Amino acid sequence: MSGRVLVGVKRVIDYAVKIRVRPDKTGVVTDGVKHSMNPFCEIAVEEAVKLKEKKLIKEVVAVSCGPQQAQETIRTALAMGADRGIHVEVTGKDYDTLGPLQVSKILAALAKKEDAQLVILGKQAIDDDCNQTGQMTAALLDWPQGTFASEVSMEGDKVKVVREIDGGLETVKINIPAVVTADLRLNTPRYATLPNIMKAKKKKIANVKPADLGVDLTSRLEVLRVDEPPQRQAGMKVETVDDLVGKLKETGHI
Amino acid sequence: MANPLRAEVVRLYKNLLYLGREYPKGSVYFREHLKSAFMKNKDVTDPEKIKKLVARGDFVIKELEALYFLRKYRAMKKRYEPEK
């Protein structure tokens, strides 16, 4: 076993930024807006680095698909402890239509090329909320998957994953190689401090084109329209409990 | 004289400044307060006192990292976990 873990990281609009829809309704405003690593991807990187620190795996490779700026996200992953990065260059129209299907094809090709033992991803991106890339990657590789992981442990040639599901927690044991997607409570990601960022500058980021991996980026989806969510209705104030009961009956809540 | 300590102080300032970019009240607010906090102590010469101040600065770094993590965790939890 190569002992190599592939971690996918995505550059998204920072979680704290107020999103604005573009006037032409084709998307959201991204120019000049603060971007950072998807929070679930941070958790994925942290898990991979933790596994390396426990000496359960040997190398953490951070991958990101996108234009030049995606390298910043890879640098953050390197600062958190990844060993090297792979930047899959996708720009222009291809980047606008880049979705889980294309990314999972890229990740599957890379997982095979790098002989990865484990592919760890965030469960979903906070910009598109697809929650599909991990699952699709596993399907393309015909590997088992442990999604919504809140706990991951290596047990010989298998991985034990505790999954967060609607009814509570589910524990599964899957064979390596496998795909795992990180949920919120998997770990506490470390902060990429300035000294770590400086040290990470020495680490290598390889540049790859999707064509080199034999991946076709055509999208089967077309975004028709992007709208803002409906405005929240103002609340009503009532004077007494009877008023409250009356209002609730009026609006059909009870 | 206080040269190695000077490097420590500068390192601390740079690290705090970097962290301040994500401060909820804005990086400008953070930088102003950071600068005045450091300027307040600029005449301290006792190495022991300087070491104590640097240690307090390192503590503030840890506090900021915890603040950022909690903010992010709470935001993600609120957005992705349905109210029961």
Side-chain angles (χ1 to χ4, degrees):
Chain A
M1 279 274 107
S2 69
R4 192 169 293 133
V5 170
L6 214 66
V7 182
V9 294
K10 186 179 180 187
R11 179 175 180 262
V12 298
I13 295 178
D14 189 80
Y15 83 99
V17 168
K18 183 151 169 49
I19 308 288
R20 286 181 304 134
V21 175
R22 280 210 290 259
D24 59 5
K25 306 256 184 203
T26 55
V28 298
V29 177
T30 54
D31 284 337
V33 174
K34 179 169 186 223
H35 283 67
S36 47
M37 192 192 290
N38 181 37
F40 295 108
C41 296
E42 287 178 354
I43 299 174
V45 173
E46 177 66 25
E47 195 59 25
V49 174
K50 272 202 166 73
L51 287 173
K52 194 179 92 159
E53 286 170 349
K54 286 188 212 161
K55 303 232 191 319
L56 294 167
I57 55 134
K58 296 204 199 86
E59 195 186 23
V60 177
V61 182
V63 183
S64 194
C65 309
Q68 193 63 15
Q69 297 95 319
Q71 293 201 3
E72 293 165 15
T73 315
I74 301 177
R75 291 246 170 259
T76 309
L78 294 173
M80 286 173 72
D83 297 294
R84 60 185 166 90
I86 299 177
H87 172 215
V88 182
E89 216 178 310
V90 180
T91 53
K93 276 256 168 277
D94 282 337
Y95 182 61
D96 291 336
T97 57
L98 192 71
L101 181 59
Q102 294 77 18
V103 174
S104 54
K105 284 182 187 171
I106 292 172
L107 289 175
L110 279 172
K112 282 205 207 105
K113 185 161 175 256
E114 298 285 332
D115 190 25
Q117 199 172 312
L118 214 56
V119 174
I120 309 184
L121 307 171
K123 72 168 178 180
Q124 66 197 78
I126 59 172
D127 54 5
D128 55 25
D129 285 324
C130 286
N131 195 318
Q132 298 165 359
T133 310
Q135 291 84 340
M136 282 180 173
T137 310
L140 287 169
L141 289 164
D142 198 22
W143 286 6
Q145 54 187 269
T147 53
F148 307 100
S150 67
E151 211 184 294
V152 171
S153 43
M154 311 276 279
E155 296 189 357
D157 60 345
K158 294 199 207 289
V159 184
K160 192 172 92 174
V161 179
V162 178
R163 308 178 57 228
E164 293 204 13
I165 59 173
D166 285 346
L169 297 171
E170 177 192 59
T171 308
V172 295
K173 211 182 249 191
I174 54 179
N175 292 331
I176 292 172
V179 175
V180 170
T181 69
D183 208 328
L184 193 57
R185 270 163 290 279
L186 181 56
N187 58 48
T188 308
R190 62 198 69 188
Y191 199 85
T193 56
L194 190 59
N196 291 341
I197 298 248
M198 288 294 141
K199 273 186 245 164
K201 288 203 169 158
K202 299 196 195 111
K203 299 182 185 175
K204 287 198 167 35
I205 299 181
N207 209 300
V208 177
K209 298 220 169 36
D212 300 340
L213 301 166
V215 169
D216 163 30
L217 291 178
T218 37
S219 176
R220 279 93 164 134
L221 300 173
E222 185 193 337
V223 173
L224 297 175
R225 217 171 117 113
V226 176
D227 283 310
E228 283 194 11
Q231 297 290 356
R232 259 186 68 179
Q233 303 286 27
M236 280 183 283
K237 271 195 171 156
V238 292
E239 295 294 306
T240 70
V241 178
D242 289 330
D243 278 355
L244 176 62
V245 175
K247 276 265 183 296
L248 285 171
K249 281 200 175 138
E250 233 176 81
T251 53
H253 282 94
I254 47 166
Chain B
M1 189 191 65
N3 256 331
L5 281 178
R6 183 186 160 76
E8 278 289 302
V9 173
V10 172
R11 169 197 65 85
L12 179 69
Y13 189 84
K14 280 191 196 162
N15 289 347
L16 278 166
L17 199 58
Y18 184 78
L19 268 178
R21 298 170 322 154
E22 233 185 287
Y23 197 67
K25 275 191 159 161
S27 58
V28 175
Y29 174 96
F30 185 89
R31 195 176 58 228
E32 284 172 14
H33 284 254
L34 175 66
K35 182 144 192 218
S36 65
F38 269 66
M39 282 298 149
K40 232 175 29 181
N41 296 313
K42 71 176 161 101
D43 293 320
V44 176
T45 47
D46 175 17
E48 278 309 308
K49 285 215 184 90
I50 295 179
K51 281 201 189 117
K52 273 213 182 96
L53 289 169
V54 168
R56 203 172 87 197
D58 283 329
F59 176 72
V60 170
I61 288 180
K62 290 250 166 337
E63 292 272 283
L64 282 170
E65 289 179 6
L67 166 74
Y68 293 165
F69 167 70
L70 276 173
R71 244 182 112 223
K72 194 177 280 189
Y73 177 84
R74 283 187 186 138
M76 291 300 113
K77 185 157 189 269
K78 208 163 157 208
R79 287 180 203 176
Y80 290 101
E81 254 127 86
E83 296 290 324
K84 289 216 175 103

